[in-house]
Amino acid sequence: MEGAVDGARTAHLASPAVQTFAGSCHCGRVRFEVDADLERVTVCNCSMCTRTGYVHLIVPPERFRLLAGADDLALYQFGTKTAKHRFCRHCGVSGFYVPRSHPDHIDVNVRCLDGVDVSALTPNRFDGRHWEASVGRLEV
Ligand SMILES: [Zn+2]
């Protein structure tokens, strides 16, 4: 009986849907962890994301932990200034930010996670060039 319980617990921990990933900026001053389901990543064609190449993973704040670098983050805002575009002020890389669509969530850049092959993912596509018309269909 005890063996069955242990087996069930192991199976739960081995579930592929949500895993913990470590992430960082390029210089390593900003480090974080996220509990993530990589089936739910999104790319966007807006003026910002086309330039940065962001691969978005939007998670509730309890799934994100900033481990280091809070004082190394700079802020860039534009347009409605709802989104808080954070980036490392030393190396310029943005590992996460607060998105306009979900300002109570964290949007992690999958490209900054350790051990993730971005080319193997199948992202959803968000038409950020027509943000107001598209945001109602954005699922995270
Ligand atoms: Zn950095």
Side-chain angles (χ1 to χ4, degrees), residues 36-128:
D37 175 358
L38 294 183
E39 295 294 309
R40 306 194 66 83
V41 304
T42 301
V43 294
C44 170
N45 63 1
C46 83
S47 61
M48 188 70 176
C49 297
T50 51
R51 285 168 170 79
T52 61
Y54 236 89
V55 178
H56 301 264
L57 178 73
I58 299 177
V59 296
E62 61 268 23
R63 287 195 170 190
F64 177 85
R65 293 171 294 281
L66 181 61
L67 303 177
D71 294 340
D72 297 302
L73 290 168
L75 173 65
Y76 174 64
Q77 291 185 283
F78 64 95
T80 65
K81 299 191 176 179
T82 307
K84 293 181 171 62
H85 295 272
R86 303 279 183 190
F87 60 95
C88 174
R89 63 189 174 85
H90 306 282
C91 68
V93 167
S94 174
F96 66 92
Y97 76 109
V98 174
R100 179 183 173 193
S101 65
H102 297 77
D104 56 345
H105 283 43
I106 302 292
D107 191 333
V108 171
N109 187 357
V110 176
R111 293 188 184 278
C112 294
L113 300 181
D114 294 345
V116 175
D117 179 2
V118 172
S119 68
L121 302 176
T122 51
N124 299 309
R125 298 191 179 278
F126 178 67
D127 185 9

Side-chain angles (χ1 to χ4, degrees), residues 25-38:
C25 67
H26 185 260
C27 73
R29 288 180 173 89
V30 178
R31 293 187 297 109
F32 55 89
E33 280 182 348
V34 61
D35 305 321
D37 175 358
L38 294 183

